Amino acid sequence: MARIFALVDCNNFYVSCERLFDPALIGIPVVVLSNNDGCIIARSEEAKALGIAMGAAFFEVRPLIRRHRVRVFSSNYPLYGDMSARVMDVLATFTPEVEIYSIDEAFLGLDGFEGRDLAAYGRQMRAKIHRWVGLPVSIGIAGTKTLAKLASHMAKKSPAAGGVFDLTTMAPRRRVLADTEAGDVWGVGHRLARMLKAHGIHTALDLHDAPDAWIRKRMAVTGLRTAMELRGVSCIDLEHVPPPKQTTVVSRSFGHPVTRLDELRDAVSVFAGRAAEKLRGGRLVASNVSAFIMTSRFIEGERHYANTATIALAGSTNHSGRIIQAALAGLERIWRPGYRYKKAGVMMLGLAAESRAQLDLFASPSRARDTDIMEAFDDINRRLGAGTIRYGWPGPRQGWRMNQQRRSPSYTTRWTDLPVARG
DNA sequence: TCTGGGGTCCTAGGACCC
DNA sequence: TCTGGGGTCCTAGGACCC
């Protein structure tokens, strides 16, 4: 049976979320910044038209932004996460086969819908999301995930498509592939695109037509899979249930460079504490903790240093105290004086379900008590706000804290930020 | 002065064992 | 003391994604 996939992609997602709660932003250039207000990660169409590049450093495009009065926002993940969940809920009313691929994208399985007018079905989805949530989306439909991604680009690019592009009927595949750069294909990044270009492979069609053996040699099995998918052979299936996480990371760039060990200790404790909370939230435990620190890669003429230390936990755990202690031990091992550190983080490795570690956990009475303490800890932070209680003592200097000067309110996830309508 | 954060997968190479 | 093949496991690094 032929497979049918749809890719639903929210247009300029973060910008669209900001516009939803401030309609004055509609029709004018808007951008959203990364954590730490470092670079541009979302742009409205008007901002794109001004030539503001994706990923551009904020300070570099600042003159342009000033000149054109571009509205600028720090990223507001509680808001975006909540809006994302609403979109996904609407999609679930159209098919049970929904794979949430990222915060702003979902793959749908539409096998068995062959008889229908798929583009019309897509337009229904679009209209319902617009009416119920208020966000614009683009939808691509095709026989493989890679082609569905490509079709969603077509849906955005061609005004005639009306936001939905069905590659199974609307255009010959070869023509669409010929109009697509190889680097725009899902699975072909910067490096491979450059390599392909050097070998005369410029378009998606060139890749489609390249010999298997050559692709296998230069792009490994993942590259061959991509080429097969371009040819309409489905190799990447829908993932209905997300596979269990293997690692989880909490890391941040610092608002200002950090030189002192005590400041780094403070940052690493906060990150490790947050990582432990993430584990408990997912009912997971970890067997190892890595701490890592690095200087800026961008400053010329300054010595660069980056290092990671991995510490084995004595038995898998999600206990904040143990994890913080291990992360700090890792930090001591890699810290070197004389550097201006710009970023640090904590990675949890060897994740496993808490339930599988239970027996071991309760083998010792002190561990059972630890679990009770952590539950109370999380409960307090849930009810009174994140960070109400934490491990350790915040250091006197907080220069490592992120810059986030342009954040919009948490309209939908904090009562005090609820928008007010006035008649 | 200022350049995100959080993930996955594949491969090559070394250690170790029989 | 040297020779050889083959298997597994682990890690580091590189590539990708949003």
Side-chain angles (χ1 to χ4, degrees):
Chain A
M1 188 181 67
R3 309 297 309 273
I4 303 176
F5 298 91
L7 179 77
V8 181
D9 190 345
C10 299
N11 300 345
N12 314 329
F13 181 55
Y14 299 166
V15 167
S16 299
C17 289
E18 298 294 344
R19 281 177 166 168
L20 201 48
F21 293 92
D22 185 356
L25 300 172
I26 294 169
I28 65 171
V30 180
V31 298
V32 177
L33 303 176
S34 62
N35 268 323
N36 210 30
D37 291 351
C39 56
I40 310 280
I41 56 168
R43 307 158 295 156
S44 70
E45 294 306 322
E46 299 80 6
K48 289 176 192 172
L50 291 174
I52 298 173
M54 181 67 174
F58 180 37
F59 74 92
E60 282 178 355
V61 291
R62 212 159 186 163
L64 196 62
I65 279 174
R66 280 225 186 85
R67 194 155 64 242
H68 293 94
R69 298 174 194 280
V70 178
R71 292 290 307 274
V72 180
F73 290 87
S74 301
S75 32
N76 184 346
Y77 288 103
L79 174 66
Y80 310 150
D82 187 52
M83 298 317 296
S84 172
R86 294 173 195 226
V87 172
M88 302 305 170
D89 286 347
V90 175
L91 290 177
T93 67
F94 285 90
T95 168
E97 304 211 36
V98 178
E99 174 192 334
I100 298 173
Y101 178 64
S102 74
I103 194 166
D104 67 337
E105 280 176 66
F107 283 105
L108 310 183
L110 297 179
D111 294 357
F113 286 61
E114 288 90 347
R116 297 204 196 202
D117 180 344
L118 292 168
Y121 199 53
R123 284 193 293 274
Q124 281 179 40
M125 291 185 206
R126 228 175 148 255
K128 193 166 176 181
I129 293 168
H130 196 262
R131 194 166 60 246
W132 288 21
V133 187
L135 293 172
V137 301
S138 299
I139 302 179
I141 301 166
T144 70
K145 280 180 154 183
T146 303
L147 288 172
K149 282 283 257 185
L150 222 145
S152 82
H153 292 160
M154 300 300 293
K156 274 191 196 127
K157 272 199 300 197
S158 71
V164 180
F165 197 94
D166 177 5
L167 195 49
T168 66
T169 59
M170 285 169 69
R173 187 157 75 216
R174 289 188 73 86
R175 205 197 72 210
V176 171
L177 294 183
D179 284 344
T180 304
E181 282 185 42
D184 288 341
V185 172
W186 188 46
V188 180
H190 285 98
R191 308 299 277 262
L192 286 176
R194 205 195 318 157
M195 185 279 293
L196 289 172
K197 205 160 252 175
H199 288 84
I201 294 176
H202 301 281
T203 68
L205 186 62
D206 295 336
L207 180 57
H208 172 279
D209 291 340
D212 285 358
W214 187 87
I215 297 173
R216 175 67 183 81
K217 183 157 163 261
R218 305 303 304 241
M219 304 174 71
V221 295
T222 42
L224 189 54
R225 203 147 53 207
T226 296
M228 296 297 288
E229 286 239 324
L230 288 177
R231 298 167 193 161
V233 181
S234 175
C235 306
I236 308 171
D237 213 337
L238 225 51
E239 280 174 359
H240 298 97
V241 280
K245 252 204 243 288
Q246 301 171 38
T247 61
T248 191
V249 177
V250 175
S251 75
R252 293 286 180 278
S253 293
F254 300 139
H256 303 285
V258 168
T259 54
R260 295 162 46 127
L261 179 59
D262 60 343
E263 260 188 287
L264 275 179
R265 287 179 60 93
D266 188 44
V268 166
S269 318
V270 169
F271 301 159
R274 176 72 198 113
E277 282 173 22
K278 274 170 80 174
L279 291 179
R280 296 196 296 272
R283 302 242 159 253
L284 296 166
V285 290
S287 62
N288 291 77
V289 189
S290 284
F292 58 90
I293 51 177
M294 61 188 74
T295 57
S296 172
R297 330 189 286 287
F298 296 101
I299 302 173
E300 306 241 348
E302 199 172 294
R303 283 185 312 157
H304 182 53
Y305 173 70
N307 209 345
T308 306
T310 302
I311 306 286
L313 292 157
S316 289
T317 185
N318 55 26
H319 184 271
S320 295
R322 291 186 209 290
I323 288 168
I324 290 169
Q325 200 182 12
L328 289 176
L331 172 65
E332 302 286 345
R333 203 182 284 178
I334 54 179
W335 182 77
R336 302 284 178 274
Y339 290 99
R340 288 153 45 85
Y341 295 96
K342 197 61 182 86
K343 180 175 176 173
V346 170
M347 191 180 323
M348 309 302 309
L349 308 161
L351 305 195
E354 196 178 47
S355 55
R356 281 173 48 197
Q358 285 287 310
L359 282 178
D360 181 41
L361 202 64
F362 287 106
S364 132
S366 74
R367 293 236 177 154
R369 199 165 59 238
D370 284 348
T371 306
D372 292 342
I373 292 167
M374 286 293 98
E375 278 173 12
F377 182 101
D378 289 338
D379 189 50
I380 289 169
N381 282 332
R382 208 164 23 239
R383 283 187 294 155
L384 302 179
T388 300
I389 52 171
R390 54 166 280 193
Y391 269 76
W393 195 254
R397 290 151 167 266
Q398 297 271 308
W400 57 272
R401 294 272 176 198
M402 287 194 295
N403 294 321
Q404 276 210 318
Q405 294 170 3
R406 300 172 170 78
R407 188 152 144 170
S408 55
S410 294
Y411 296 111
T412 63
T413 54
R414 196 184 294 156
W415 283 113
T416 53
D417 290 357
L418 202 65
V420 178
R422 294 193 178 80

PDB file of all heavy atoms in Angstrom, chain A residues 35-49:
ATOM      1  N   ASN A  35      18.059  32.415  23.272  1.00  0.00           N
ATOM      2  CA  ASN A  35      18.397  32.587  24.677  1.00  0.00           C
ATOM      3  C   ASN A  35      19.583  33.527  24.778  1.00  0.00           C
ATOM      4  O   ASN A  35      20.461  33.513  23.928  1.00  0.00           O
ATOM      5  CB  ASN A  35      18.807  31.238  25.282  1.00  0.00           C
ATOM      6  CG  ASN A  35      17.610  30.548  25.884  1.00  0.00           C
ATOM      7  OD1 ASN A  35      16.746  31.177  26.465  1.00  0.00           O
ATOM      8  ND2 ASN A  35      17.566  29.246  25.748  1.00  0.00           N
ATOM      9  N   ASN A  36      19.609  34.320  25.826  1.00  0.00           N
ATOM     10  CA  ASN A  36      20.722  35.239  26.039  1.00  0.00           C
ATOM     11  C   ASN A  36      20.717  36.390  25.032  1.00  0.00           C
ATOM     12  O   ASN A  36      21.693  37.109  24.912  1.00  0.00           O
ATOM     13  CB  ASN A  36      22.062  34.489  25.968  1.00  0.00           C
ATOM     14  CG  ASN A  36      23.100  35.145  26.855  1.00  0.00           C
ATOM     15  OD1 ASN A  36      22.776  35.744  27.876  1.00  0.00           O
ATOM     16  ND2 ASN A  36      24.335  35.049  26.461  1.00  0.00           N
ATOM     17  N   ASP A  37      19.605  36.526  24.297  1.00  0.00           N
ATOM     18  CA  ASP A  37      19.481  37.610  23.318  1.00  0.00           C
ATOM     19  C   ASP A  37      20.661  37.650  22.352  1.00  0.00           C
ATOM     20  O   ASP A  37      21.094  38.720  21.931  1.00  0.00           O
ATOM     21  CB  ASP A  37      19.343  38.973  24.042  1.00  0.00           C
ATOM     22  CG  ASP A  37      18.004  39.103  24.765  1.00  0.00           C
ATOM     23  OD1 ASP A  37      17.136  38.226  24.556  1.00  0.00           O
ATOM     24  OD2 ASP A  37      17.822  40.067  25.525  1.00  0.00           O
ATOM     25  N   GLY A  38      21.173  36.483  21.997  1.00  0.00           N
ATOM     26  CA  GLY A  38      22.399  36.421  21.194  1.00  0.00           C
ATOM     27  C   GLY A  38      22.179  36.559  19.700  1.00  0.00           C
ATOM     28  O   GLY A  38      22.833  37.367  19.041  1.00  0.00           O
ATOM     29  N   CYS A  39      21.277  35.770  19.142  1.00  0.00           N
ATOM     30  CA  CYS A  39      21.095  35.855  17.689  1.00  0.00           C
ATOM     31  C   CYS A  39      19.636  35.674  17.305  1.00  0.00           C
ATOM     32  O   CYS A  39      18.783  35.376  18.141  1.00  0.00           O
ATOM     33  CB  CYS A  39      22.014  34.866  16.970  1.00  0.00           C
ATOM     34  SG  CYS A  39      21.845  33.169  17.476  1.00  0.00           S
ATOM     35  N   ILE A  40      19.379  35.877  16.007  1.00  0.00           N
ATOM     36  CA  ILE A  40      18.004  35.876  15.494  1.00  0.00           C
ATOM     37  C   ILE A  40      17.571  34.429  15.233  1.00  0.00           C
ATOM     38  O   ILE A  40      18.232  33.723  14.474  1.00  0.00           O
ATOM     39  CB  ILE A  40      17.955  36.645  14.156  1.00  0.00           C
ATOM     40  CG1 ILE A  40      18.645  38.001  14.274  1.00  0.00           C
ATOM     41  CG2 ILE A  40      16.544  36.704  13.607  1.00  0.00           C
ATOM     42  CD1 ILE A  40      17.849  39.074  14.901  1.00  0.00           C
ATOM     43  N   ILE A  41      16.469  34.003  15.829  1.00  0.00           N
ATOM     44  CA  ILE A  41      16.019  32.639  15.550  1.00  0.00           C
ATOM     45  C   ILE A  41      14.624  32.573  14.927  1.00  0.00           C
ATOM     46  O   ILE A  41      14.171  31.499  14.569  1.00  0.00           O
ATOM     47  CB  ILE A  41      16.071  31.725  16.792  1.00  0.00           C
ATOM     48  CG1 ILE A  41      15.271  32.322  17.937  1.00  0.00           C
ATOM     49  CG2 ILE A  41      17.502  31.446  17.194  1.00  0.00           C
ATOM     50  CD1 ILE A  41      15.053  31.324  19.073  1.00  0.00           C
ATOM     51  N   ALA A  42      13.941  33.692  14.807  1.00  0.00           N
ATOM     52  CA  ALA A  42      12.672  33.695  14.074  1.00  0.00           C
ATOM     53  C   ALA A  42      12.454  35.079  13.490  1.00  0.00           C
ATOM     54  O   ALA A  42      12.794  36.084  14.120  1.00  0.00           O
ATOM     55  CB  ALA A  42      11.509  33.308  14.994  1.00  0.00           C
ATOM     56  N   ARG A  43      11.897  35.108  12.286  1.00  0.00           N
ATOM     57  CA  ARG A  43      11.705  36.383  11.581  1.00  0.00           C
ATOM     58  C   ARG A  43      10.344  36.390  10.916  1.00  0.00           C
ATOM     59  O   ARG A  43       9.920  35.384  10.343  1.00  0.00           O
ATOM     60  CB  ARG A  43      12.775  36.535  10.485  1.00  0.00           C
ATOM     61  CG  ARG A  43      14.187  36.365  10.969  1.00  0.00           C
ATOM     62  CD  ARG A  43      15.112  35.994   9.816  1.00  0.00           C
ATOM     63  NE  ARG A  43      14.779  34.695   9.255  1.00  0.00           N
ATOM     64  CZ  ARG A  43      15.078  34.304   8.015  1.00  0.00           C
ATOM     65  NH1 ARG A  43      15.712  35.110   7.203  1.00  0.00           N
ATOM     66  NH2 ARG A  43      14.714  33.107   7.593  1.00  0.00           N
ATOM     67  N   SER A  44       9.684  37.530  10.956  1.00  0.00           N
ATOM     68  CA  SER A  44       8.452  37.662  10.170  1.00  0.00           C
ATOM     69  C   SER A  44       8.845  37.826   8.704  1.00  0.00           C
ATOM     70  O   SER A  44      10.002  38.093   8.390  1.00  0.00           O
ATOM     71  CB  SER A  44       7.665  38.884  10.638  1.00  0.00           C
ATOM     72  OG  SER A  44       8.342  40.066  10.271  1.00  0.00           O
ATOM     73  N   GLU A  45       7.877  37.683   7.807  1.00  0.00           N
ATOM     74  CA  GLU A  45       8.162  37.849   6.377  1.00  0.00           C
ATOM     75  C   GLU A  45       8.770  39.221   6.104  1.00  0.00           C
ATOM     76  O   GLU A  45       9.687  39.355   5.291  1.00  0.00           O
ATOM     77  CB  GLU A  45       6.875  37.681   5.554  1.00  0.00           C
ATOM     78  CG  GLU A  45       6.277  36.275   5.593  1.00  0.00           C
ATOM     79  CD  GLU A  45       7.260  35.179   5.191  1.00  0.00           C
ATOM     80  OE1 GLU A  45       8.067  35.410   4.275  1.00  0.00           O
ATOM     81  OE2 GLU A  45       7.225  34.104   5.821  1.00  0.00           O
ATOM     82  N   GLU A  46       8.250  40.246   6.802  1.00  0.00           N
ATOM     83  CA  GLU A  46       8.757  41.607   6.593  1.00  0.00           C
ATOM     84  C   GLU A  46      10.224  41.711   7.006  1.00  0.00           C
ATOM     85  O   GLU A  46      11.017  42.401   6.366  1.00  0.00           O
ATOM     86  CB  GLU A  46       7.925  42.622   7.397  1.00  0.00           C
ATOM     87  CG  GLU A  46       6.440  42.675   7.026  1.00  0.00           C
ATOM     88  CD  GLU A  46       5.615  41.558   7.661  1.00  0.00           C
ATOM     89  OE1 GLU A  46       6.175  40.798   8.479  1.00  0.00           O
ATOM     90  OE2 GLU A  46       4.417  41.438   7.338  1.00  0.00           O
ATOM     91  N   ALA A  47      10.579  40.999   8.090  1.00  0.00           N
ATOM     92  CA  ALA A  47      11.970  41.022   8.552  1.00  0.00           C
ATOM     93  C   ALA A  47      12.868  40.278   7.569  1.00  0.00           C
ATOM     94  O   ALA A  47      13.993  40.704   7.297  1.00  0.00           O
ATOM     95  CB  ALA A  47      12.067  40.410   9.955  1.00  0.00           C
ATOM     96  N   LYS A  48      12.375  39.161   7.038  1.00  0.00           N
ATOM     97  CA  LYS A  48      13.147  38.424   6.031  1.00  0.00           C
ATOM     98  C   LYS A  48      13.411  39.323   4.829  1.00  0.00           C
ATOM     99  O   LYS A  48      14.506  39.330   4.268  1.00  0.00           O
ATOM    100  CB  LYS A  48      12.379  37.174   5.568  1.00  0.00           C
ATOM    101  CG  LYS A  48      12.300  36.077   6.622  1.00  0.00           C
ATOM    102  CD  LYS A  48      11.448  34.901   6.131  1.00  0.00           C
ATOM    103  CE  LYS A  48      11.134  33.957   7.283  1.00  0.00           C
ATOM    104  NZ  LYS A  48      10.165  32.895   6.916  1.00  0.00           N
ATOM    105  N   ALA A  49      12.374  40.070   4.430  1.00  0.00           N
ATOM    106  CA  ALA A  49      12.499  40.931   3.245  1.00  0.00           C
ATOM    107  C   ALA A  49      13.550  42.021   3.457  1.00  0.00           C
ATOM    108  O   ALA A  49      14.151  42.502   2.496  1.00  0.00           O
ATOM    109  CB  ALA A  49      11.147  41.563   2.919  1.00  0.00           C
TER     110      ALA A  49
END
